[in-house]
Amino acid sequence: MDLNADLGESFGSWTMGDDAAMFPLVTSASVACGLHAGDPVTMLDTCRAAYELDVRVGAHLGYPDLAGFGLRAMDLSFDDLFGAVLYQLGALDGVAHAVGASVDYVKVHGGLYDRTIHDAEQASAVVAAVQAYDPGLPLLGLEGSALVELAREAGNPVFHEAFADRAYLPDGTLVPHLEEEAVIEDPDEIVERALRLALKGEVTAVDGSVVRLTPHSLCLHGDTPGSVAVAAAVRSALERAGVELAPFA
């Protein structure tokens, strides 16, 4: 099982999360590319740390929404979103290569993540841009989403991620970020859900039904108070349960 976290989200003098504490816990790092979060120096430092710790680098692509941290849905045209994805891929890829690393996968963020679960037009713009940049670049996303299905049809390798600390709807999609019940905060519950996802491929939805999934990666969040300790507890529990931790890319 891969463990991924969204890293490199600081901007200028503003700090988001504790990347130094998260890096030893993960096998893949989804690095912000400067439009929803991150800046050139943060990208450089994050890619260098990933390379030194043998953590895979992913391009974490978002809407151009620094003020809203990329959590707001935006009605971009196909060309605008296509260009924004290419811009972010090129920026992170150049920085990664400068420190000996490489961009090994793509993951979308926040409002774009939620939007491309159902919105085929927005999802197709992302997939088209990834195809134009590198048709062999793997995409990490929510199982059954429009983005994952379109990427699979286009020939990109696709991998599924699951969330122990996000609430699921009965259809296997996530409760949207900005809704009150979207995030699970109880540490014991998060660890139990992570184990169940890794060992059984299932999670309980908000209505009590059981959702069957085939996760290749679990997302660990490190950008809220106490979340690093929870992420460490999740990794420790998985290791004790005999789950082999390794990057998917």
Side-chain angles (χ1 to χ4, degrees):
M1 179 66 67
D2 175 70
L3 297 178
N4 82 83
D6 304 341
L7 301 177
E9 294 180 324
S10 298
F11 181 82
S13 61
W14 179 76
T15 300
M16 168 65 81
D18 187 349
D19 287 5
M22 287 300 296
F23 259 116
L25 303 176
V26 301
T27 50
S28 299
S30 303
V31 181
C33 302
L35 289 192
H36 79 272
D39 58 41
V41 173
T42 300
M43 291 161 64
L44 184 65
D45 290 344
T46 307
C47 288
R48 184 182 290 115
Y51 178 72
E52 292 173 351
L53 295 171
D54 197 27
V55 171
R56 299 295 185 271
V57 172
H60 200 201
L61 312 174
Y63 284 124
D65 179 28
L66 278 174
F69 192 55
L71 296 180
R72 300 177 291 191
M74 301 181 73
D75 289 318
L76 297 189
S77 69
F78 183 98
D79 286 346
D80 283 344
L81 185 52
F82 181 92
V85 170
L86 285 178
Y87 178 89
Q88 293 174 85
L89 282 171
L92 187 66
D93 196 34
V95 169
H97 275 88
V99 298
S102 59
V103 173
D104 298 317
Y105 68 95
V106 167
K107 174 183 169 179
V108 297
H109 166 81
L112 184 58
Y113 197 104
D114 290 342
R115 186 72 174 267
T116 55
I117 289 174
H118 301 293
D119 191 324
E121 182 177 358
Q122 296 269 283
S124 65
V126 175
V127 172
V130 174
Q131 278 279 311
Y133 193 83
D134 180 355
L137 195 59
L139 188 141
L140 177 65
L142 191 72
E143 185 173 357
S145 65
L147 183 63
V148 163
E149 295 308 314
L150 288 171
R152 180 181 287 111
E153 292 172 8
N156 286 91
V158 295
F159 296 88
H160 306 148
E161 74 169 338
F163 299 82
D165 61 355
R166 288 289 305 276
Y168 278 80
L169 296 171
D171 64 357
T173 61
L174 299 172
V175 174
H177 275 91
L178 299 180
E179 292 192 14
E180 188 173 329
E181 61 181 354
V183 178
I184 295 165
E185 298 180 350
D186 180 78
D188 293 336
E189 183 179 359
I190 294 169
V191 171
E192 186 277 329
R193 287 164 69 91
L195 285 170
R196 191 175 176 193
L197 281 164
L199 297 173
K200 297 183 178 181
E202 62 184 34
V203 68
T204 301
V206 291
D207 68 346
S209 62
V210 175
V211 178
R212 308 288 180 181
L213 300 170
T214 55
H216 305 108
S217 180
L218 295 180
C219 181
L220 302 177
H221 288 110
D223 56 1
T224 55
S227 58
V228 172
V230 173
V234 167
R235 177 170 179 130
S236 178
L238 292 173
E239 290 175 330
R240 289 196 305 270
V243 177
E244 181 181 359
L245 302 179
F248 66 87

